[in-house]
Amino acid sequence: MAQENAEVQEVKVGGLNGSPKVVVYSFLKPQLLVQAPKAADAVQFYKAAFGAEELKRATNPKRKAEHDLPLILSAELKIGPSVIIVGDQTVETAKTTDGAGFSFCLEADDVEAAVTKAVKAGASVVEPVPDSEAGCCGARSVTVKDPFGYVWSIYSAGKSCADVEA
């Protein structure tokens, strides 16, 4: 798996009593948000067109009446050595990303310290989700927007997502 061989970057931020705190960033994954409920179709397209391998998937347990299947929160796809995330764009995610249809998911070992560092550098918190498991593939996450308008979901390593159906 690409994640096992990933390079880890350490970043120092203020810790307790002014001592340096190290935040470890493990992965950066672009997230493509597709008009709901078309993420499943997008996943199938990326498999057929680019040979993508689906690594894991998290679905929304609350299904809308107008949708036959639950919406995809995140489906991680491996294309070559890279990983992308595909999900259904909902009214909520469209608000968070200003309708842009994409965001970045950044895995960190310490979400709070990573968010603090981003805010000190000029980012603003868009969506604090301190104890939620609704972030990138079921992880604890906080969404920030950088000074240039790009949205970043800083998340911790999540629990294993539901097995991908063959």
Side-chain angles (χ1 to χ4, degrees):
M1 191 187 298
Q3 295 179 354
E4 293 172 352
N5 298 326
E7 204 172 297
V8 175
Q9 178 184 4
E10 294 183 0
V11 178
K12 293 184 179 184
V13 295
L16 294 176
N17 301 325
S19 63
K21 165 85 174 131
V22 175
V23 178
V24 178
Y25 295 102
S26 303
F27 304 103
L28 173 63
K29 301 173 188 173
Q31 181 175 32
L32 307 176
L33 298 170
V34 180
Q35 181 183 13
K38 297 181 182 176
D41 294 338
V43 167
Q44 291 307 314
F45 171 79
Y46 298 133
K47 286 179 177 181
F50 307 124
E53 173 189 353
E54 188 168 349
L55 302 176
K56 51 188 169 179
R57 178 183 291 202
T59 57
N60 189 337
K62 299 176 186 173
R63 180 167 59 196
K64 303 267 184 186
E66 66 270 17
H67 301 142
D68 292 335
L69 299 172
L71 296 179
I72 295 175
L73 295 173
S74 61
E76 286 195 16
L77 303 177
K78 181 178 176 187
I79 301 174
S82 302
V83 176
I84 64 169
I85 300 171
V86 177
D88 281 307
Q89 184 173 40
T90 62
V91 172
E92 294 81 20
T93 58
K95 287 178 191 174
T96 302
T97 63
D98 290 333
F102 70 92
S103 66
F104 297 102
C105 292
L106 183 61
E107 183 178 315
D109 69 331
D110 185 334
V111 173
E112 290 79 11
V115 170
T116 298
K117 180 172 178 54
V119 169
K120 283 182 180 178
S124 58
V125 175
V126 175
E127 188 176 316
V129 190
D131 291 314
S132 173
E133 292 180 356
C136 293
C137 212
R140 186 166 175 255
S141 71
V142 176
T143 303
V144 300
K145 186 178 282 189
D146 70 24
F148 311 100
Y150 294 103
V151 174
W152 299 75
S153 292
I154 301 173
Y155 70 101
S156 62
K159 294 187 282 186
S160 180
C161 293
D163 290 336
V164 176
E165 294 180 16

